[in-house]
Amino acid sequence: PLLLDLPKFDGLRLSTASFMTARDKRASADLLRMPNNILRLEEWSQKNRGNNLLTRSMGQIHSNMKNTTMEILEFILSDDDDKSTIHDISQSMVEEYSTATTTGRKHITQGGKYISETERQSLLENLSKDDTLGPILIRMKAIVEKALIE
């Protein structure tokens, strides 16, 4: 059976577990990698004081893709890099993102035509209360939120 054929909560739970453990090249342990990267970067930052670290949330990126992408590229690339090159790379990334979000399938947790915002919130709340996944997800969320505040 397809994931979308399962009851919504069961499909979300299975998908979440898969994103934590899968060896799929496209999404291998993505949910665990992000908070782990944050913790490793915090350790690095403490050992290497004086070096800069830039943190941006996906919400910041999605709400103002062009400017945030430019900011990230300017942070990564040296001051000597041509501003028009940075602009061109940013524009290309914005266009690819726009194409992906307008032509791709929406995920059930994004709501929209699949479920109402109320049902979406209920599913996410139930997932955070899940005996197995809940504690992991809550800890991961705390790590990410702490990094975004700092």
Side-chain angles (χ1 to χ4, degrees):
L2 294 173
L3 185 62
L4 293 175
D5 293 335
L6 293 173
K8 289 175 185 164
F9 181 72
D10 293 341
L12 180 59
R13 188 171 189 270
L14 177 61
S15 182
T16 301
S18 176
F19 276 111
M20 286 184 180
T21 61
R23 296 198 185 273
D24 183 324
K25 290 178 184 175
R26 292 171 291 148
S28 178
D30 277 355
L31 286 178
L32 297 177
R33 187 178 305 114
M34 180 178 41
N36 182 60
N37 287 346
I38 290 170
L39 293 174
R40 299 298 76 84
L41 284 170
E42 285 176 356
E43 289 173 4
W44 176 87
S45 183
Q46 288 180 6
K47 290 178 185 175
N48 296 281
R49 297 218 185 264
N51 290 307
N52 295 323
L53 184 63
L54 178 69
T55 304
R56 294 294 173 261
S57 72
M58 290 306 293
Q60 290 169 310
I61 294 169
H62 291 179
S63 68
N64 194 342
M65 182 68 141
K66 184 175 182 177
N67 289 340
T68 307
T69 303
M70 289 282 292
E71 179 185 17
I72 292 167
L73 289 170
E74 287 171 357
F75 179 82
I76 294 170
L77 301 173
S78 74
D79 294 334
D80 298 333
D81 287 309
D82 182 10
K83 295 292 184 193
S84 66
T85 301
I86 292 173
H87 179 270
D88 292 346
I89 294 169
S90 175
Q91 188 62 37
S92 175
M93 292 174 72
V94 169
E95 288 170 8
E96 285 183 36
Y97 174 77
S98 178
T99 300
T101 57
T102 56
T103 60
R105 288 178 46 186
K106 287 193 78 145
H107 191 275
I108 190 168
T109 56
Q110 293 174 328
K113 69 179 185 179
Y114 294 108
I115 58 174
S116 68
E117 182 61 24
T118 303
E119 187 176 12
R120 176 184 176 276
Q121 289 300 324
S122 176
L123 284 168
L124 294 174
E125 182 178 330
N126 288 336
L127 191 59
S128 70
K129 292 178 182 176
D130 184 83
D131 290 340
T132 304
L133 299 174
I136 299 167
L137 293 170
I138 290 168
R139 176 69 178 128
M140 289 175 9
K141 181 179 179 182
I143 291 168
V144 172
E145 287 179 348
K146 179 180 178 263
L148 291 173
I149 292 170
E150 298 174 346

